[in-house]
Amino acid sequence: MGATKYVLGSAILGLFWSSLLKGVLTNSTSRCDYPPCSCDHYGRLTCDCKEEGEELILTTEGDRRLSPHTSRIVVNNCSSVILMNSSLASMTGLRSVDLVNVANLSLARQSFELSSHSARTRISVRNSSIDVMPSFVFRGDVEAITFENVRIGQLSAFSFANLVHTDTLRLENCRIETTEAQAFKKFDVGYLHVIGGTFGDQVPSRTMNDIEVYHKFMLDGVRMGVVRSDAFIVRSPRTVAIQNCAIDTLESEAFDVTAHGAVIVKNNTFGSIGVGAFLGIRADREIRPPPSSSSSSSSSSSTAAIGLHDLIFKNNSVSNFEEGSLMFDRTSFRPELDNLLVAQACDCQMLPVWKNNVLNYTNVYSRLYARQNSLVPPTLQPQEPINETPETFLCLDARVEGVPTSFTDYEARHCSLGGSMLVFILITVAVLVALIVGVCLIVWCCRKRRRNNRKKWISVPTNAPDVVSKKNGVIGREAATSGTPVDSRITMVVPDGRLYRETEFHVIVEKAEPLTTEL
Ligand SMILES: *[C@@H]1O[C@H](CO)[C@@H](O)[C@H](O)[C@H]1NC(C)=O
Ligand SMILES: *[C@@H]1O[C@H](CO)[C@@H](O)[C@H](O)[C@H]1NC(C)=O
Ligand SMILES: *[C@@H]1O[C@H](CO)[C@@H](O)[C@H](O)[C@H]1NC(C)=O
Ligand SMILES: *[C@@H]1O[C@H](CO)[C@@H](O)[C@H](O)[C@H]1NC(C)=O
Ligand SMILES: *[C@@H]1O[C@H](CO)[C@@H](O)[C@H](O)[C@H]1NC(C)=O
Ligand SMILES: *[C@@H]1O[C@H](CO)[C@@H](O)[C@H](O)[C@H]1NC(C)=O
Ligand SMILES: *[C@@H]1O[C@H](CO)[C@@H](O)[C@H](O)[C@H]1NC(C)=O
Ligand SMILES: *[C@@H]1O[C@H](CO)[C@@H](O)[C@H](O)[C@H]1NC(C)=O
């Protein structure tokens, strides 16, 4: 009796279930049944758009609805995809969403809302374009979000918000045209990496507001225009890395970061830096290990430094800055400054000013703390000076086509008064003067000698002529015409004979030889 009852019962139950299942199967069609999408037995939905201009709508309504049993969504090569409001919210088994090569991805509020029962889901968007990233796109337990090579026309306020238990948020090579304040608002994440790409011309105040990062906060190779004060408010990362970035303007206290570990700022290019742009980077006072009393052997200066984290500021380039632009919280960090390139032409007068602006900012520091009188001004305990090596400061040597040169090198070669350059100039001048004097002397000597020589050139005849005309030794016309030969040794140089026609020449001939003529 009991057995037949059981069989009958189970048969009725089976009939009921099979009819129910049949009804569900025949009646409900889903996204899986229409191209360009297809599904497999594991609940994977794959959509590969082949036709140009096809618009793919992912929604939970209509006859092309998404099945709640979807475990994975892959969309490829579609020119336009619309992911409707809360379409994913009923998929309890959803593990991943991949949207690749979508020319126009339209998202709505809560497009990426996940079921509160879902396992952890990974969302990735690659090589796509999104006109507007709306507010509150995400909701729920997203394990990882990756945006790679995505153009985002506008990143609205609260675009990244409502995230729970997120391990990684990674934006790689994303070109964000406009960023609104609070685009990243109040969530916890293990790793927050922005790599390459840009945040646009303006990174407003509170772009990242109240973000708790457990492991690493990194901005790597990001281009940014003006970064406003308090643009990045990030709590408790163990590592902060700001590297390879190009930032036009960094306003005062642009970074408000409470770090639990080392801070690395390296290989960045800054246009101009406001006063105390990095002063908002500090260490969490509660977490910071207190100076351990066990290290009794160490000196007083090193015990003061024990609770400090490293802040490495290395290989950065700055065009414009002022006193206190590069201040660091010395009560939290032990700053290490190296290879700071002042991207201006080296100038002997400016070198000490620049150096002083970076190293000696005590005045600005106390003024800044006096203004924020809510804060107790930190006792400026005798600070260890920042280690300075010859390579700490560099500027552009305009003489060698703007090659970076260290301050010390440049100073030694071009600036100091006792420098070799001046000596070289002095020697050159002295040699030139000596040369000129020498040349003058030589010319003068030659002149003198020539004058002396000229007197000898016209020689007085050494021998008196044998035959001079009579008449008291006066050479007369008769003498020339008489035919008596005049001694050819008496030579006269007359440039133009006619001018001298009426000139009288008195030639006195002295003779000191025995007379041959009869008296
Ligand atoms: C389910 O399909 C049956 C026929 O197969 C039809 O009579 C019924 O109206 C459908 N129900 C719904 C809800 O579409
Ligand atoms: C998407 O298109 C690219 C070229 O446009 C092609 O190389 C790739 O194989 C396509 N992907 C799929 C899944 O069809
Ligand atoms: C999104 O869904 C909620 C309810 O689920 C609805 O109130 C709201 O109007 C929807 N928004 C859009 C843009 O469809
Ligand atoms: C990226 O997407 C564009 C269109 O959106 C496509 O032309 C290009 O081939 C894609 N590149 C890769 C590497 O998939
Ligand atoms: C993207 O798609 C949306 C909705 O279909 C449309 O309103 C918008 O104009 C499209 N954008 C571009 C750039 O095609
Ligand atoms: C420094 O940053 C520039 C871009 O600003 C990049 O091209 C270069 O490779 C970086 N150098 C190192 C050593 O990372
Ligand atoms: C320093 O930066 C310059 C360019 O900005 C780069 O070429 C060089 O490799 C960097 N050096 C180090 C040690 O990062
Ligand atoms: C720092 O600057 C002040 C003036 O602003 C000056 O009096 C002081 O000597 C400087 N200290 C050093 C170490 O250069």
Side-chain angles (χ1 to χ4, degrees), residues 85-86 108-110:
N85 184 2
S86 306
R109 239 167 201 256
Q110 281 149 29

mmCIF file of all heavy atoms in Angstrom, residues 85-86 108-110, ligand 3:
data_model
loop_
_atom_site.group_PDB
_atom_site.id
_atom_site.type_symbol
_atom_site.label_atom_id
_atom_site.label_comp_id
_atom_site.label_asym_id
_atom_site.label_seq_id
_atom_site.Cartn_x
_atom_site.Cartn_y
_atom_site.Cartn_z
ATOM 1 N N ASN A 85 19.809 49.156 -17.296
ATOM 2 C CA ASN A 85 19.656 49.301 -15.865
ATOM 3 C C ASN A 85 19.451 47.956 -15.166
ATOM 4 O O ASN A 85 18.547 47.220 -15.477
ATOM 5 C CB ASN A 85 18.406 50.195 -15.745
ATOM 6 C CG ASN A 85 18.087 50.572 -14.336
ATOM 7 O OD1 ASN A 85 18.812 50.194 -13.433
ATOM 8 N ND2 ASN A 85 17.011 51.298 -14.172
ATOM 9 N N SER A 86 20.324 47.621 -14.249
ATOM 10 C CA SER A 86 20.180 46.443 -13.378
ATOM 11 C C SER A 86 19.996 45.127 -14.122
ATOM 12 O O SER A 86 19.360 44.208 -13.598
ATOM 13 C CB SER A 86 18.992 46.629 -12.417
ATOM 14 O OG SER A 86 19.121 47.826 -11.714
ATOM 15 N N ALA A 108 24.074 52.633 -18.083
ATOM 16 C CA ALA A 108 23.087 53.387 -17.315
ATOM 17 C C ALA A 108 23.438 53.269 -15.839
ATOM 18 O O ALA A 108 24.363 52.547 -15.467
ATOM 19 C CB ALA A 108 21.695 52.853 -17.580
ATOM 20 N N ARG A 109 22.695 53.976 -15.027
ATOM 21 C CA ARG A 109 22.837 53.817 -13.599
ATOM 22 C C ARG A 109 22.680 52.346 -13.257
ATOM 23 O O ARG A 109 21.767 51.697 -13.733
ATOM 24 C CB ARG A 109 21.699 54.564 -12.919
ATOM 25 C CG ARG A 109 22.145 55.614 -11.981
ATOM 26 C CD ARG A 109 20.932 56.473 -11.630
ATOM 27 N NE ARG A 109 21.430 57.729 -11.148
ATOM 28 C CZ ARG A 109 21.442 58.052 -9.842
ATOM 29 N NH1 ARG A 109 20.933 57.254 -8.947
ATOM 30 N NH2 ARG A 109 21.954 59.190 -9.476
ATOM 31 N N GLN A 110 23.556 51.827 -12.469
ATOM 32 C CA GLN A 110 23.471 50.437 -12.013
ATOM 33 C C GLN A 110 23.484 49.405 -13.138
ATOM 34 O O GLN A 110 22.911 48.332 -13.008
ATOM 35 C CB GLN A 110 22.239 50.251 -11.136
ATOM 36 C CG GLN A 110 22.518 50.781 -9.753
ATOM 37 C CD GLN A 110 21.329 51.325 -9.037
ATOM 38 O OE1 GLN A 110 20.206 50.889 -9.269
ATOM 39 N NE2 GLN A 110 21.573 52.273 -8.166
HETATM 40 C C1 LIG B 3 16.382 51.573 -13.079
HETATM 41 O O1 LIG B 3 15.643 50.640 -12.339
HETATM 42 C C2 LIG B 3 14.901 51.194 -11.292
HETATM 43 C C3 LIG B 3 14.181 50.074 -10.593
HETATM 44 O O2 LIG B 3 14.823 48.867 -10.764
HETATM 45 C C4 LIG B 3 13.911 52.203 -11.827
HETATM 46 O O3 LIG B 3 13.238 52.811 -10.775
HETATM 47 C C5 LIG B 3 14.631 53.234 -12.626
HETATM 48 O O4 LIG B 3 13.704 54.098 -13.238
HETATM 49 C C6 LIG B 3 15.484 52.599 -13.695
HETATM 50 N N1 LIG B 3 16.204 53.586 -14.392
HETATM 51 C C7 LIG B 3 16.338 53.590 -15.708
HETATM 52 C C8 LIG B 3 17.198 54.686 -16.276
HETATM 53 O O5 LIG B 3 15.831 52.755 -16.413
#
